[in-house]
Amino acid sequence: MEYSRRKLKEEKVFKDPVHRYIHVRDLVIWDLIGTKEFQRLRRVRQLGTTYLTFHGAEHSRFNHSLGVYEIVRRIVDDVFRERSQWNKEDRLLSLCAALLHDVGHGPFSHSFEKVFHVDHEEFTKQIILGDTEVNEVLSKVDPDFPKQVAEVIGKTHDNKLVVSLISSQIDADRMDYLQRDAYFTGVSYGHFDMERILRVMRPREDQVVFKQSGMHAVEDYIMSRYQMYWQVYFHPVTRSAEVLLSKILHRAKELGAQGYSFTYKPLHFESIFKGQFTLQDYLKLDESVMLFYFQVWQEEKDPILSDLCRRFVNRNLFKYVEFDPAKEYRKHSELEALFKKADIDPEYYLVFDSSSDLPYDFYRPGEEEERLPIYLMTNQDELRELSRESSIVDAISGKRRTDHKLYFPADFLKDGSTKRNIKRQIRSLLDI
Amino acid sequence: MLLKEHAKLVGAFSACEEIIGRKKLQKMIYIAKKLSFPFQEKFEFHFYGPYSEELTLRVEELCNMGFLHEIREKKGGYYQYRYTLTEEGKAFLTHSEVVMPQLEGAVIDMNGQSARFLELVSTVLYFDTLPYEEVEDKIFTLKRKQRYTKEEIAEAYEYIEQLKKQYVPSSNTGWSQ
């Protein structure tokens, strides 16, 4: 029997706190889970630095990837199976893309990518198409299969229905992470009736649509997304940890560029400091490795790097104040000058943070075709955009809400042993 | 520098009297980024071509800050958005240290094109590592509803070359941030 159709003798299950069980019957899926590139996801947290705010948020991208796979499996095996617009031949492609959609994520990937100008999507592509165990498994299905999977994940595959299962405004990825992140953080916001949503899903030529009778379940999902955004993803303490992490990486990069002699040589970072980062280098750099460096860099001679690492490791985070950049951008220049006078480098210790710097989004009705919206399907088979039918969704998608904060080390500013007057001026400007 | 990435966008808006349409704005910034203007917004391929959620959020922030004025108007069965820079936005730009001398011409040029054409140009640029024939195939399959013709695709390539020649000096961009 051809590899793509081979099944395990017995179904394997993974116990999962969100979906109860993850069911695996396909040999291809079982083999992909066993690859070293996929196993690496156990060492990359799903929510980055959020564990410093919500201590339960230690779950990994491995958990999440299995969860996305399970949701897609339920859709293609149960919900779509007998639907005429669903082509059963697309089943394995959908499952593999779901399982591998995050395989290129690196350690603390949001900050890491910003500092080193790399892109996890590019690494996902390289893992699927390059000389890897994942590629070896996928190629056994068909030599062209890795390319197909990469295109679905990259959203450039011509089968838009399959793409929309994994990447759209209501996809398996979001449905898993909202529930999983809510479960592990312990908040009560991210819950919605996924079973109901799955029951009202219908395949269309270009995307998944939802029966109008299921609108309230979809509304609930949109509300969960909105609340999780503000309550978890953009939590100011998590942002503070993210600011610190980003500054550690910036400092290490800066020192690397200056040819600084590290007491503990950052072997895992050397190639990226030189701009010669290969896939193999990337795969070696997980969060365990990164945290090891933060641990040893606490003893570095460079006072900025060691201080930032001590703060991160011991959770001595920066404090923050609300900041209105439109009215206060001149004040920011003043603060920068005062920080310099106080011998506190503003590049590392006075950090402005905006809600636009976040890899999560709200629902967008896509009024000008900039994004594909969620469509409800009436009994007459007509499609209607969600926010036009739901006043709740209209209320939250029509309003712009943004947020800006200024982060700084309050302990430095309160330390009266040096530059007391200047620090007093800073505190006064920050109103602390 | 505070709001450096926002300032670059304000720079783009300042070049035009008005930008009509969110889709057009998305494609203009993507094309400018692909031409090597130092925009940092991350773009992904969506149903209608390259799209950046980060850019959408920054534009919202600029509106909330009072640097951009947004008008929402009904046009047929859908809404359209128009953007103009406010006096506060102009003052902010003067205060910022962002200088991109070639951007103005490129943005004015793109703003004179239709959103449909810019969608095609940005899609061609998204697949710029593929050979011409494969890009054509991608456009005919991924964008079949837009019904782009071979002539339009050839025009998109010509337009990209023209933009590069006019606004991207090969030796040194002269851009500072």
Side-chain angles (χ1 to χ4, degrees):
Chain A
M1 185 190 277
E2 56 190 286
Y3 181 58
S4 64
R5 296 185 194 280
R6 280 176 61 192
K7 304 284 179 194
L8 298 166
K9 277 185 192 148
E10 277 190 356
E11 183 180 66
K12 303 272 187 191
V13 288
F14 293 78
K15 192 79 188 83
D16 184 76
V18 177
H19 307 303
R20 290 193 62 236
Y21 289 101
I22 312 281
H23 304 77
V24 180
R25 196 71 206 270
D26 299 86
L27 182 61
V28 177
I29 297 299
W30 184 247
D31 287 348
L32 283 173
I33 293 170
T35 60
K36 62 181 181 188
E37 294 87 15
F38 191 79
Q39 289 293 319
R40 169 186 156 275
L41 296 178
R42 290 181 187 272
R43 304 185 297 277
V44 179
R45 286 182 187 81
Q46 173 68 17
L47 284 180
T49 58
T50 302
Y51 72 97
L52 290 168
T53 310
F54 298 94
H55 65 264
E58 295 274 359
H59 55 303
S60 68
R61 294 205 181 265
F62 180 88
N63 308 164
H64 166 64
S65 299
L66 286 180
V68 177
Y69 153 80
E70 176 63 14
I71 295 174
V72 171
R73 191 198 63 76
R74 285 189 203 174
I75 296 170
V76 300
D77 285 353
D78 304 336
V79 186
F80 284 5
R81 205 167 131 181
E82 300 306 329
R83 301 264 161 210
S84 60
Q85 280 178 301
W86 174 247
N87 181 354
K88 287 177 191 163
E89 294 299 310
D90 294 329
R91 178 182 174 276
L92 191 63
L93 176 64
S94 308
L95 294 179
C96 291
L99 186 73
L100 298 175
H101 77 285
D102 269 353
V103 77
H105 265 289
F108 302 113
S109 56
H110 186 57
S111 290
F112 186 86
E113 290 177 24
K114 291 259 170 195
V115 174
F116 294 109
H117 303 293
V118 293
D119 183 353
H120 72 266
E121 272 142 16
E122 181 51 37
F123 283 112
T124 299
K125 203 163 136 187
Q126 286 187 33
I127 290 168
I128 293 172
L129 301 176
D131 181 14
T132 60
E133 292 181 5
V134 164
N135 178 268
E136 203 178 311
V137 174
L138 296 174
S139 297
K140 281 203 287 183
V141 174
D142 184 276
D144 190 48
F145 194 58
K147 184 170 169 261
Q148 303 282 328
V149 174
E151 286 189 346
V152 170
I153 297 173
K155 301 180 261 292
T156 58
H157 196 281
D158 58 1
N159 189 330
K160 293 186 181 183
L161 174 60
V162 172
V163 171
S164 80
L165 285 175
I166 293 135
S167 322
S168 64
Q169 296 214 62
I170 181 163
D171 56 22
D173 182 20
R174 291 174 205 276
M175 283 199 274
D176 183 79
Y177 75 61
L178 287 173
Q179 296 180 88
R180 193 167 299 279
D181 296 346
Y183 177 87
F184 282 99
T185 52
V187 301
S188 56
Y189 316 107
H191 306 288
F192 55 92
D193 189 352
M194 189 180 78
E195 300 303 319
R196 176 83 181 131
I197 291 179
L198 297 188
R199 282 179 66 85
V200 296
M201 265 186 167
R202 293 292 177 270
R204 277 291 187 107
E205 184 196 353
D206 273 349
Q207 71 174 120
V208 174
V209 299
F210 301 85
K211 281 174 73 182
Q212 184 138 25
S213 58
M215 183 178 83
H216 298 299
V218 178
E219 272 178 348
D220 210 18
Y221 155 85
I222 297 289
M223 287 304 292
S224 301
R225 196 168 144 185
Y226 182 80
Q227 288 169 326
M228 285 294 282
Y229 185 94
W230 291 110
Q231 301 293 334
V232 175
Y233 305 132
F234 202 70
H235 193 290
V237 178
T238 307
R239 297 302 303 161
S240 181
E242 205 66 34
V243 159
L244 210 45
L245 173 76
S246 158
K247 290 298 167 187
I248 291 172
L249 297 176
H250 267 296
R251 187 63 183 171
K253 181 183 171 186
E254 174 70 24
L255 293 173
Q258 287 171 8
Y260 168 86
S261 170
F262 286 86
T263 309
Y264 196 93
K265 244 183 156 194
L267 296 172
H268 292 81
F269 286 90
E270 278 183 342
S271 59
I272 198 160
F273 287 163
K274 288 179 192 156
Q276 300 161 343
F277 207 38
T278 66
L279 175 61
Q280 294 315 317
D281 296 327
Y282 184 70
L283 292 173
K284 285 179 196 160
L285 199 57
D286 57 34
E287 286 178 9
S288 315
V289 172
M290 197 102 117
L291 289 172
F292 166 77
Y293 282 105
F294 293 176
Q295 183 73 250
V296 295
W297 284 345
Q298 290 181 87
E299 309 300 326
E300 270 302 332
K301 302 176 294 294
D302 179 70
I304 294 177
L305 184 62
S306 56
D307 174 68
L308 295 173
C309 288
R310 274 197 294 274
R311 286 175 187 278
F312 190 85
V313 171
N314 302 314
R315 199 193 175 280
N316 176 17
L317 306 177
F318 287 177
K319 300 292 180 222
Y320 64 90
V321 290
E322 300 295 330
F323 190 76
D324 181 347
K327 292 183 187 139
E328 300 178 298
Y329 62 85
R330 289 184 178 86
K331 184 162 110 180
H332 186 269
S333 306
E334 215 178 314
L335 279 166
E336 274 186 323
L338 286 168
F339 266 65
K340 281 179 192 162
K341 279 189 193 168
D343 295 329
I344 305 172
D345 188 342
E347 184 64 30
Y348 295 98
Y349 291 104
L350 181 66
V351 187
F352 173 75
D353 187 57
S354 281
S355 46
S356 58
D357 180 30
L358 198 64
Y360 295 93
D361 56 2
F362 305 116
Y363 175 64
R364 306 274 178 201
E367 291 160 307
E368 284 187 56
E369 296 191 335
E370 73 276 22
R371 281 201 81 169
L372 195 64
I374 296 173
Y375 283 112
L376 299 174
M377 185 178 65
T378 66
N379 289 337
Q380 289 73 40
D381 257 14
E382 286 168 13
L383 296 187
R384 291 188 184 155
E385 190 276 312
L386 176 65
S387 69
R388 304 239 176 150
E389 299 296 304
S390 159
S391 43
I392 292 177
V393 174
D394 186 45
I396 58 168
S397 57
K399 285 205 171 55
R400 290 190 302 257
R401 183 178 161 190
T402 52
D403 185 276
H404 312 278
K405 289 184 170 57
L406 206 51
Y407 287 89
F408 51 85
D411 51 326
F412 274 14
L413 302 177
K414 285 176 184 161
D415 172 15
S417 61
T418 57
K419 316 272 181 180
R420 187 180 294 188
N421 283 338
I422 297 165
K423 289 178 184 173
R424 191 179 299 133
Q425 283 182 62
I426 295 174
R427 292 201 303 273
S428 158
L429 270 177
L430 289 170
D431 199 18
I432 56 167
Chain B
M1 185 204 137
L2 183 70
L3 298 175
K4 187 167 82 182
E5 299 311 318
H6 295 74
K8 291 176 193 170
L9 295 174
V10 171
F13 282 105
S14 78
C16 310
E17 210 169 292
E18 185 178 46
I19 294 179
I20 303 172
R22 287 179 174 177
K23 184 158 85 172
K24 187 174 205 177
L25 170 66
Q26 283 278 338
K27 308 311 172 204
M28 282 168 66
I29 300 300
Y30 178 75
I31 296 166
K33 186 177 176 184
K34 288 294 283 187
L35 290 176
S36 305
F37 287 96
F39 291 102
Q40 297 299 317
E41 285 77 15
K42 186 176 174 181
F43 283 81
E44 286 180 5
F45 198 81
H46 282 256
F47 200 85
Y48 299 103
Y51 169 82
S52 167
E53 181 65 22
E54 225 173 335
L55 174 58
T56 298
L57 287 167
R58 286 214 174 111
V59 170
E60 287 187 352
E61 286 175 346
L62 288 170
C63 292
N64 281 357
M65 287 175 203
F67 295 165
L68 266 189
H69 182 56
E70 180 188 75
I71 300 170
R72 183 187 195 227
E73 58 186 20
K74 203 160 188 178
K75 204 181 171 195
Y78 69 100
Y79 286 99
Q80 183 173 265
Y81 291 80
R82 308 165 80 100
Y83 295 96
T84 45
L85 200 59
T86 63
E87 288 307 314
E88 290 87 345
K90 287 174 193 163
F92 166 70
L93 191 61
T94 317
H95 177 85
S96 82
E97 297 148 21
V98 171
V99 184
M100 292 189 278
Q102 304 290 338
L103 181 69
E104 186 178 338
V107 166
I108 292 171
D109 200 319
M110 286 189 273
N111 202 25
Q113 306 295 327
S114 70
R116 174 187 152 84
F117 183 62
L118 293 181
E119 185 180 338
L120 175 62
V121 172
S122 60
T123 304
V124 166
L125 282 167
Y126 196 86
F127 294 110
D128 61 358
T129 54
L130 300 180
Y132 191 97
E133 292 73 24
E134 278 187 49
V135 175
E136 268 191 343
D137 280 350
K138 280 278 174 207
I139 289 162
F140 293 143
T141 51
L142 289 175
K143 305 240 160 230
R144 54 184 176 269
K145 286 193 174 159
Q146 284 86 336
R147 296 172 181 275
Y148 289 116
T149 61
K150 277 180 173 274
E151 290 70 32
E152 281 180 295
I153 296 172
E155 251 179 74
Y157 271 95
E158 277 168 34
Y159 185 63
I160 292 165
E161 283 314 305
Q162 179 206 316
L163 284 176
K164 281 183 185 167
K165 206 182 285 176
Q166 275 185 270
Y167 306 111
V168 190
S170 53
S171 55
N172 189 341
T173 58
W175 295 319
S176 66
Q177 302 170 37

